[in-house]
């Protein structure tokens, strides 16, 4: 298939410039587009889809379950959760008392597709234990993620060792946890044996490394030194 | 009031007494020059001076006479046995002497000397009085002979008094003598110092007439230099008695001669004194009428000296202009001499310690600039002031506590490490943190630039204030220098410190190990170096490699057979065997049996050698045939003969 076009082109004139392959493909694609025929090429090309075609207006629903211990905090911070979702993201939110779920639904006013996901993530983050203001960052910034893992994933610990590991992560009065949070610009939730980290990808990685080191038994001072070094390097890059 | 009357009476009385004395005056006693005592309009001091004149002259006479009498051996003034009489005499004499002493604190007269010698010779007075007399006439006349005389007498007395002998004594040296001499000398020195500066107002002044008479009276032959003997210069060496006797004998002669020699000098001195006194009186009288701005007293003395030197008649009165001229010329002369002389060390510029006398700098007041503020003088007032200040400070509670100063740590490392660990919960939420970051990133462009003029002004002000602070504050500590911006890049050191340009350097090249992997064992060995273990290892490795290759091949073959049967069977052994069979059956090919006989086919060498042999054989055969044919062709001559 590749051999034929050059032959035809050469037939036209004695001296013709032989174009490169990339440009050939483009021209072919363009030609195909113009003609309207399906291209014989590899990559499919789709025009951007209209919002209506996606079926946003139908009202997609997301449900976030709420455990009992987060019931009261949810009640207290309801307005803070409610306001940004409804006003900024143009979604509909409600708390289903029977199923104990927070339900978020799109409506006709919703403009952004990703709003629903963001809202769901936001609520989920809050339910996991993060502060409303911290979870709000999920809505505002695209590239924030939420990672969860367990202490026993890193190292199989039992009983007292596990407790001690958790204690090491937390530090006295939460000192160590806050230090990691401040240096890596993340938010960490330490729920017994479960750890949730909220932040950008690189920062999550840094924080995760630090926490894993702590679980594995490194003293906090060493961990501080390491994260400080890593953070400074990361900062210098920008 | 009452005193005045009494005083007037006394004065009148003294006048009458004086006049009477003068009137009755004998030829023997020559009193003062004044015929009568003048008291009208004279104050006590002047009257006293007149009296003094008279007294001095009279006293001189008396002293002389006593001296003469004392020499007379018949009369004995003092002796140990006749204590009472002698005492009385001595006491009387002493009184006389004391009186004389009171009137004449410093004597420079010769006659006293005579007297003292006489006294020393005869009497056994206390040392003190003797000493007084011996010391009195020390200054003016520094004749060696006189000194010797003195020393001799001193020695004599010491000999007489302290005839003790010590261990150190010798033919030439006597310890006792030395001690006595030293004491004598010390006393002289003491009295010398007293005598130096002041003019002796109470000195005896012999009038001209008297002096002439004394001269005439005491003319005696002087020893000429030819007649001087050892005795004149040195003490006798032998017994003390001899010495004493000799001394005694000599003394009479010496005394007179010495007196003779010293007289003219003393005369001149006396003349001076006389004139001085006259001049002083006259000048004083003159000064009452006319006051000169120039100080006359010291200069009149100079004048008189100069006159003496020039040999002018000393009594001639000089005009004021002349006097001034003389003073000026004298001054000029002095100054000229000074200039010609060597300068004192003070004016010699840089003077080291060797060039000036020892410890001379201590007596100098030296001026120099002080680099350090002198410590304040503490007086009571200052202490009180200070205490007041302290009290006020305490009330104000304005302690001047020392503020600990920290040295700012400047290191590039520190700049790197600026990420401070905050152990507390972050006050900002995550969203806000990211927001701030975002803003920071995008706000670099919109930094407002300071007015350059403002910057300049600020800098100038800073420098000015810095200088002012340095000047006023004694405990000034300058501000730490503004840290320079140090660009610290986190590149590997090799790239920063690479000397060669990047294009040329081989910093980015691969390391040899990256190109070819190093042998695990380390060194590469030649066959000779290899141990049997190494060789075996290598063989094993080789076999392994081969095994693996073979397996790979078989696998591939199997795969090929599976995927594409035609291609697979091309290269397999089975296929090859089958084909061979086919061919041999058909007769196109024949199998060569390997029988051992046929060595030719075993190796190429064998084959070719065999071939070579064959060819040779053929050639041989060919040659043989040729020869045979030739033989047949050649006919014999005998056969053909007819």
């Amino acid at each position: 298939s590749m051999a034929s076009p050059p032959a035809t082109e050469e037939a036209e004139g004695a001296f013709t410039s032989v174009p490169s392959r990339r440009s050939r493909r483009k021209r072919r694609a363009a030609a195909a587009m113009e003609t309207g025929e399906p291209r014989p090429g590899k990559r499919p090309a789709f025009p951007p889809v209209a919002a209506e075609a996606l079926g946003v207006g139908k009202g997609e629903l997301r449900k976030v379950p709420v455990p009992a211990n987060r019931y009261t905090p949810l009640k207290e911070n309801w307005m803070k959760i409610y306001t940004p979702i409804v006003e900024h993201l143009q979604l509909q939110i409600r708390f289903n008392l029977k199923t104990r779920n927070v339900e978020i639904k799109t409506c006709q006013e919703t403009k952004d597709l990703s709003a629903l996901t963001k809202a769901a993530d936001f609520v989920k983050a809050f339910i996991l234990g993060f502060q409303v203001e911290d979870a709000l960052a999920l809505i505002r910034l695209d590239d924030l993620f939420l990672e969860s893992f367990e202490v026993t994933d890193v190292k199989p610990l039992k009983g007292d060792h596990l407790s001690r590991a958790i204690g090491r992560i937390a530090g006295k009065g939460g000192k160590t946890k806050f230090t990691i949070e401040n240096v890596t610009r993340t938010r960490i939730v330490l729920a017994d044996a479960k750890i949730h980290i909220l932040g950008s990808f690189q920062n999550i990685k840094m924080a995760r490394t630090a926490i894993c080191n702590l679980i594995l038994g490194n003293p906090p001072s060493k961990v501080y030194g390491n994260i400080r070094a890593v953070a400074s390097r990361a900062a210098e890059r920008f | 009031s009452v005193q005045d009357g009494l005083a007037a009476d006394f004065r009148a009385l003294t006048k009458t007494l004086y006049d009477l004395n003068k009137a009755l005056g004998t030829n023997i006693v020559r009193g003062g020059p004044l015929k009568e005592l003048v008291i009208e309009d004279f104050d006590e001091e002047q009257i006293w001076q007149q009296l003094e004149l008279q007294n001095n002259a009279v006293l001189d006479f008396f002293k002389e006479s006593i001296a003469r009498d004392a020499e007379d051996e018949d009369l004995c003034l003092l002796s140990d046995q006749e204590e009472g009489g002698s005492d009385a005499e001595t006491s009387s004499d002493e009184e006389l002497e004391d009186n004389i002493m009171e009137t004449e604190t410093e004597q420079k007269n010769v006659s006293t000397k005579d007297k003292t010698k006489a006294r020393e010779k005869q009497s056994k007075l206390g040392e003190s009085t003797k000493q007084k007399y011996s010391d009195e006439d020390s200054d003016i006349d520094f004749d060696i002979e006189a000194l010797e005389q003195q020393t001799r007498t001193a020695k004599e007395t010491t000999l007489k008094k302290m005839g003790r002998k010590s261990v150190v004594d010798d033919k030439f040296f006597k310890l006792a003598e030395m001690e006595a001499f030293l004491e004598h000398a010390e006393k002289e020195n003491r009295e010398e110092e007293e005598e130096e500066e002041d003019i002796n107002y109470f000195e005896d002044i012999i009038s001209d007439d008297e002096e002439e008479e004394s001269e005439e009276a005491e003319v005696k032959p002087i020893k000429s230099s030819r007649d001087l003997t050892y005795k004149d210069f040195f003490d006798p060496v032998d017994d003390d008695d001899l010495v004493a006797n000799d001394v005694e004998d000599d003394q009479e002669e010496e005394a007179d001669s010495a007196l003779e020699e010293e007289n003219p000098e003393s005369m001149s001195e006396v003349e001076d004194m006389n004139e001085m006194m006259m001049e002083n009186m006259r000048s004083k009288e003159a000064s009452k009428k006319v006051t000169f701005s120039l100080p006359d007293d010291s200069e009149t003395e100079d004048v008189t000296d100069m006159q003496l030197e020039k040999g002018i008649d000393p009594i001639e009165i000089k005009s004021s202009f002349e006097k001034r001229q003389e003073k000026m010329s004298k001054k000029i002369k002095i100054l000229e001499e000074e200039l010609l002389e060597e300068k004192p060390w003070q004016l010699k510029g840089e003077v080291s310690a060797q060039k000036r006398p020892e410890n001379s700098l201590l007596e100098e007041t030296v001026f120099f600039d002080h680099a350090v503020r002198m410590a304040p003088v503490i007086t009571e007032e200052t202490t009180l002031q200070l205490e007041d200040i302290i009290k006020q400070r305490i009330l104000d509670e304005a302690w001047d506590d020392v503020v600990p100063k920290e040295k700012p740590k400047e290191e590039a490392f520190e700049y790197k490490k600026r990420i401070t660990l905050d152990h507390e919960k972050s006050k900002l939420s995550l969203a806000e943190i990211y927001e701030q970051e975002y803003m920071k990133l995008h706000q670099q462009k919109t930094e407002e630039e300071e007015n350059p003029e403002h910057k300049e002004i600020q800098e100038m002000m800073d420098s000015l204030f810095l200088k002012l602070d340095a000047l006023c504050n004694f405990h000034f500590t300058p501000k730490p220098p503004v840290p320079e911006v140090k660009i610290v890049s986190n590149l590997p050191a090799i790239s920063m410190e690479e000397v060669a340009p990047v294009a040329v350097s081989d910093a980015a090249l691969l390391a040899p190990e990256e190109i070819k992997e190093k042998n695990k064992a380390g060194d590469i060995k030649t066959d000779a170096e290899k141990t049997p273990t190494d060789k075996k290892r290598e063989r094993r490795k080789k076999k392994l490699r081969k095994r693996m290759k073979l397996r790979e091949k078989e696998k591939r073959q199997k795969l090929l057979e599976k995927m594409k049967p035609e291609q697979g069977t091309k290269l397999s052994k089975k296929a090859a065997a089958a084909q061979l069979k086919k061919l041999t059956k058909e007769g196109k090919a024949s199998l060569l049996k390997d029988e051992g006989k046929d060595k030719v086919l075993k190796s190429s060498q064998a084959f070719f050698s065999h071939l070579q042999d064959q060819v040779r054989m053929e050639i041989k055969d060919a040659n043989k045939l040729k020869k045979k044919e030739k033989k047949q062709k050649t006919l014999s001559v005998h056969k053909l003969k007819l």
Side-chain angles (χ1 to χ4, degrees), chain B residues 287-310:
Chain B
S287 67
K288 279 182 192 173
K289 295 166 190 175
V290 182
T291 53
F292 288 106
S293 58
L294 309 164
D296 284 340
D297 293 336
S298 55
E299 277 149 4
T300 50
E301 291 178 21
D302 299 340
V303 164
T304 53
D305 284 340
M306 280 182 60
Q307 284 172 2
L308 276 171
E309 287 169 17
K310 288 181 187 174

Side-chain angles (χ1 to χ4, degrees), chain A residues 3 16 21 31 56 77-78 99 118 174 187-188 191 197:
Chain A
T16 47
R21 279 192 182 176
V56 174
N77 295 314
W78 179 247
T99 56
K118 278 192 194 172
R187 288 289 174 265
I188 300 169
I197 310 175

Side-chain angles (χ1 to χ4, degrees), chain B residues 119-244:
Chain B
R119 294 211 63 83
E120 283 166 12
K121 196 172 148 193
Q122 298 274 327
S123 65
K124 293 190 179 177
L125 282 170
E127 275 188 34
S128 57
T129 48
K130 179 213 53 159
Q131 291 289 345
K132 280 186 216 166
Y133 287 119
S134 62
D135 295 337
E136 281 154 22
D137 27 50
S138 51
D139 257 342
I140 324 162
D141 326 340
F142 212 70
D143 265 8
I144 298 170
E145 291 206 33
L147 190 67
E148 283 173 21
Q149 192 79 35
Q150 273 186 354
T151 52
R152 221 175 292 150
T153 50
K155 281 179 196 169
E156 183 199 352
T157 46
T158 53
L159 280 170
K160 282 191 175 171
K161 296 225 169 123
M162 305 175 279
R164 54 184 177 188
K165 296 178 188 177
S166 62
V167 184
V168 211
D169 281 359
D170 210 1
K171 245 177 18 169
F172 299 102
F173 175 74
K174 308 251 173 346
L175 187 69
E177 271 180 28
M178 191 189 80
E179 282 175 4
F181 173 70
L182 287 171
E183 283 178 20
H184 180 78
E186 273 176 23
K187 291 230 172 170
E188 266 184 39
N189 281 337
R190 260 184 274 134
E191 302 236 1
E192 256 185 48
E193 283 164 36
E194 291 169 15
E195 287 175 1
E196 269 170 11
E197 288 157 22
D198 308 324
I199 305 165
N200 188 13
Y201 293 107
F202 303 103
E203 198 189 284
D204 276 329
I205 302 167
I206 310 168
S207 63
D208 295 3
D209 301 333
E210 288 182 270
E211 286 168 2
E212 285 168 12
E213 286 180 17
S214 64
E215 261 191 61
E216 288 167 358
E218 294 157 38
V219 168
K220 277 197 179 172
I222 309 164
K223 251 189 176 177
S224 72
S225 54
R226 285 186 199 166
D227 300 338
L228 292 171
T229 53
Y230 180 83
K231 278 187 287 176
D232 301 338
F233 294 104
F234 299 107
D235 280 340
V237 178
D238 295 329
D239 300 338
D240 298 347
D241 296 330
L242 271 168
V243 167

Side-chain angles (χ1 to χ4, degrees), chain B residues 509-569:
Chain B
L509 291 178
L510 293 168
E513 280 85 4
E514 289 171 329
I515 297 163
K516 181 184 181 342
E517 262 184 46
K518 217 177 161 185
N519 193 3
K520 222 177 183 181
D523 295 336
I524 299 163
K525 292 181 180 176
T526 58
D527 286 347
E529 289 177 344
K530 283 182 191 165
T531 61
T533 348
D534 291 329
K535 286 180 192 166
K536 282 191 181 160
R537 197 192 297 129
E538 278 196 23
R539 188 175 157 75
R540 269 181 260 133
K541 279 217 176 95
K542 186 176 158 191
K543 282 170 84 172
L544 183 76
R545 261 182 268 134
K546 220 169 186 180
R547 222 180 299 145
M548 300 311 287
K549 267 190 199 167
L550 202 65
R551 280 186 197 162
E552 282 283 307
K553 206 177 175 186
E554 280 171 18
K555 263 191 204 169
R556 261 188 278 124
Q557 274 288 43
K558 276 184 189 173
L559 202 67
L560 258 171
E561 277 178 35
K562 276 186 192 175
M563 306 304 275
K564 295 169 188 175
E566 308 113 16
Q567 280 183 11
T569 53

Side-chain angles (χ1 to χ4, degrees), chain B residues 240-442:
Chain B
D240 298 347
D241 296 330
L242 271 168
V243 167
N245 289 332
D246 286 339
V247 168
E248 277 175 46
D249 289 332
D250 290 334
Q251 232 187 7
E252 277 180 288
E253 297 168 28
E254 298 310 323
D256 295 331
S257 63
L259 194 130
E260 237 288 310
E261 285 155 39
E262 283 146 20
N263 257 334
E265 291 174 351
S266 69
M267 260 170 60
S268 64
E269 295 269 329
V270 164
E271 279 176 12
D272 290 343
M273 294 305 290
N274 200 10
E275 280 159 20
M276 259 163 41
M277 292 290 282
M278 299 286 243
E279 289 280 327
N280 278 338
M281 285 179 61
R282 273 180 217 155
S283 63
K284 274 176 194 168
E285 287 170 9
S287 67
K288 279 182 192 173
K289 295 166 190 175
V290 182
T291 53
F292 288 106
S293 58
L294 309 164
D296 284 340
D297 293 336
S298 55
E299 277 149 4
T300 50
E301 291 178 21
D302 299 340
V303 164
T304 53
D305 284 340
M306 280 182 60
Q307 284 172 2
L308 276 171
E309 287 169 17
K310 288 181 187 174
I312 304 164
D313 190 1
I315 301 172
E316 185 189 293
I317 300 165
K318 293 213 166 252
S319 68
S320 57
F321 175 74
E322 279 182 340
K323 286 182 205 163
R324 243 181 288 155
Q325 282 299 94
E326 280 166 4
K327 287 176 219 161
M328 287 289 281
S329 52
K330 177 98 198 246
K331 263 194 179 172
I332 288 162
K333 195 176 173 191
I334 289 169
L335 287 170
E336 280 174 356
E337 278 176 31
E338 260 186 54
L339 283 171
L340 290 170
E341 270 177 14
E342 198 188 329
K343 287 187 182 174
W345 69 267
Q346 283 93 340
L347 302 172
K348 268 194 184 169
E350 276 191 29
V351 184
S352 64
Q354 284 88 18
K355 285 175 193 162
R356 53 180 164 81
E358 195 184 334
N359 291 338
S360 55
L361 207 60
L362 294 172
E363 286 123 36
E364 293 291 312
T365 48
V366 189
F367 292 107
F368 52 90
D369 292 328
H370 294 271
V372 188
R373 226 195 293 170
M374 304 305 286
V377 179
I378 308 290
T379 58
E380 277 192 46
E381 290 166 8
T382 57
T383 330
L384 289 170
Q385 276 179 352
L386 202 64
E387 283 175 6
D388 286 336
I389 294 169
I390 291 168
K391 282 181 210 161
Q392 192 55 41
R393 285 275 186 96
I394 292 168
L395 290 169
D396 294 340
E397 294 201 8
W399 321 116
D400 280 339
D401 284 340
V402 178
V403 177
K405 282 177 248 180
E406 282 173 22
K407 187 182 165 186
K409 213 173 174 184
E410 298 283 347
E411 274 177 57
F413 183 62
E414 291 297 317
Y415 278 110
K416 241 188 182 180
K417 252 191 174 181
R418 286 293 165 177
I419 295 175
T420 47
L421 294 177
D422 189 14
H423 296 292
E424 291 172 356
K425 187 180 164 113
S426 168
K427 304 224 169 56
L428 303 166
S429 75
L430 201 66
E432 281 168 11
I433 290 172
Y434 280 111
E435 186 186 323
Q436 276 180 357
E437 241 186 81
Y438 179 81
M439 297 300 274
K440 216 194 285 179
L441 272 171
H442 289 264

